[in-house]
Amino acid sequence: MVHVQFNPELLSALKDQVVVLTGGATGIGRSTVTQFAEAGCKVVFGDISEEPARDLESKLGPNVRYLHCDTSSYSDQLSLFAAAESIFGRINVVVANAGMAIHKDIFDPSSDISVEPSMKEVAVNLTGAIFTARIGMHYLRKNKSKGGDLVLVSSIAGFKESGGLATYTASKHGVLGLMRGLHTTAFPEGIRINVICPWMTKTRLVKGIEDGWHEQGLPENEPEDVGRSIVLCATANRSQEGKTHPGAKMPFAGKILWISGGEAYEIEDAIQDLEPQWLGEKNSKVLAKGQEFLASQGTSWDADKLKKKTANGV
Ligand SMILES: NC(=O)c1ccc[n+]([C@@H]2O[C@H](COP(=O)([O-])OP(=O)(O)OC[C@H]3O[C@@H](n4cnc5c(N)ncnc54)[C@H](O)[C@@H]3O)[C@@H](O)[C@H]2O)c1
């Protein structure tokens, strides 16, 4: 792991950049919208919590717009992005932050097996993030070589066992999968994808454990700390003068930032570097060969594409 510190000098690169963010009404999203706005960005955020969203919009002025957007609805997200482009002309930064947790454990032995459980955590946290990434990339591609930044909010539950939260954990592991599935093809297009994995952050999501956590003296994040790490990802590659956030290995793309005690730690590079150790030298070597084949020009998972090529003699 590498401790990555925030360098406020990079904020100037955000001036007049257009940000689209899901789930901006409360908590981490609210703080992130505020930080982007204070850095001179134009922000369009979606949410389903009308009252706090309208309140934020009116506090931050005309450069910040709120639109009702249920992140699990593809058509709502299409409208959110289309509105952002029509109001501000382009989109430079996309943040998939909307998320929710159902604290009733569907795997509890006392739960009623005959009742189909809600899969809303998957719909909001994972399907919603996939929709944001797909539509977001469509707009970021329009910036041609300038590309843009896509920041996905996962969780400590994105890589760690989280008892009592199995569906939430599956959805947040999926967000890491989304980054790993997209990063290598998005990066050559100029689109940097990074993931934030917050540990305990004092928002309404953690009300059940907050007091006990505090008594244990465990590290806590304020929503502002997580918002700052999102801004860190969106600025890391933007300096014209070669400035960086200390600790950030460049290019800053395909990274995972774990946020604990208000600090950001990059963990993906170590996971990749240590692969020969946890997978074994031999397995790691042959895996690299397979990865190389899959990434090579002309390889496609789409069997129909292969047929077309063969028919065309390509
Ligand atoms: N608080 C933590 O300790 C913690 C830890 C790890 C990850 N996270 C993640 O951080 C993100 C922000 O959570 P938070 O802690 O700020 O909680 P929060 O409840 O304050 O914020 C979540 C936001 O998402 C919105 N939202 C929920 N469902 C939505 C939907 N269907 N469509 C659009 N918006 C929707 C909510 O209205 C709210 O504004 C979430 O993705 C959450 O899973 C939080």
Side-chain angles (χ1 to χ4, degrees):
M1 104 26 225
V2 175
H3 187 190
V4 185
Q5 285 160 297
F6 186 73
N7 176 3
E9 284 179 82
L10 271 85
L11 281 175
S12 58
L14 280 178
K15 182 134 182 47
D16 290 329
Q17 296 293 281
V18 182
V19 180
V20 174
L21 178 145
T22 64
T26 64
I28 292 166
R30 189 179 184 91
S31 173
T32 310
V33 169
T34 307
Q35 292 182 46
F36 276 123
E38 286 172 355
C41 292
K42 299 180 164 79
V43 187
V44 176
F45 72 96
D47 208 295
I48 48 169
S49 284
E50 294 287 326
E51 217 184 295
R54 293 269 174 232
D55 168 71
L56 183 64
E57 185 188 41
S58 68
K59 273 190 180 128
L60 294 176
N63 281 344
V64 174
R65 305 289 179 89
Y66 160 68
L67 266 110
H68 178 95
C69 170
D70 179 341
T71 203
S72 62
S73 155
Y74 195 71
S75 63
D76 275 15
Q77 289 219 41
L78 279 175
S79 306
L80 178 75
F81 280 90
E85 189 189 48
S86 110
I87 300 168
F88 293 123
R90 64 182 189 284
I91 295 165
N92 308 101
V93 178
V94 175
V95 184
N97 169 71
M100 50 92 68
I102 297 171
H103 293 122
K104 296 267 171 282
D105 186 0
I106 64 164
F107 292 93
D108 190 291
S110 68
S111 67
D112 184 353
I113 195 74
S114 66
V115 180
E116 183 177 329
S118 167
M119 286 294 107
K120 216 164 167 210
E121 288 156 304
V122 177
V124 174
N125 302 346
L126 181 55
T127 309
I130 295 172
F131 289 170
T132 307
R134 181 170 197 249
I135 303 167
M137 282 178 64
H138 166 77
Y139 283 94
L140 296 178
R141 280 182 187 122
K142 292 190 184 192
N143 303 326
K144 302 277 180 335
S145 61
K146 282 197 173 142
D149 288 278
L150 171 62
V151 187
L152 308 172
V153 179
S154 175
S155 168
I156 181 78
F159 64 93
K160 199 72 193 156
E161 299 90 340
S162 306
L165 286 175
T167 313
Y168 179 83
T169 303
S171 72
K172 291 296 189 178
H173 269 65
V175 175
L176 292 196
L178 176 60
M179 181 277 282
R180 292 191 179 126
L182 274 177
H183 158 63
T184 51
T185 50
F187 187 67
E189 293 188 83
I191 299 170
R192 286 90 47 175
I193 309 179
N194 293 295
V195 184
I196 305 293
C197 289
W199 203 15
M200 198 283 212
T201 308
K202 291 192 280 174
T203 69
R204 61 182 183 175
L205 216 62
V206 300
K207 284 289 167 234
I209 59 143
E210 193 175 341
D211 290 345
W213 191 272
H214 190 72
E215 276 163 29
Q216 294 289 318
L218 285 160
E220 297 170 349
N221 300 310
E222 296 296 335
E224 293 70 27
D225 301 321
V226 183
R228 194 169 55 247
S229 71
I230 293 171
V231 175
L232 187 158
C233 291
T235 50
N237 303 283
R238 287 175 186 265
S239 170
Q240 305 288 328
E241 302 107 44
K243 288 179 188 155
T244 52
H245 296 292
K249 193 171 154 201
M250 303 299 285
F252 201 79
K255 310 291 186 196
I256 300 173
L257 283 183
W258 177 50
I259 316 301
S260 167
E263 299 297 324
Y265 303 93
E266 202 291 307
I267 59 172
E268 177 72 348
D269 284 347
I271 294 171
Q272 301 294 341
D273 290 349
L274 291 171
E275 188 188 277
Q277 202 168 311
W278 54 261
L279 195 62
E281 295 273 351
K282 206 171 145 205
N283 289 336
S284 190
K285 266 196 190 126
V286 75
L287 180 63
K289 200 174 166 196
Q291 291 291 93
E292 210 175 293
F293 162 69
L294 292 173
S296 58
Q297 283 278 319
T299 307
S300 172
W301 288 101
D302 183 349
D304 290 340
K305 266 194 185 170
L306 189 67
K307 268 187 226 146
K308 268 189 214 142
K309 265 190 202 150
T310 317
N312 294 337
V314 184

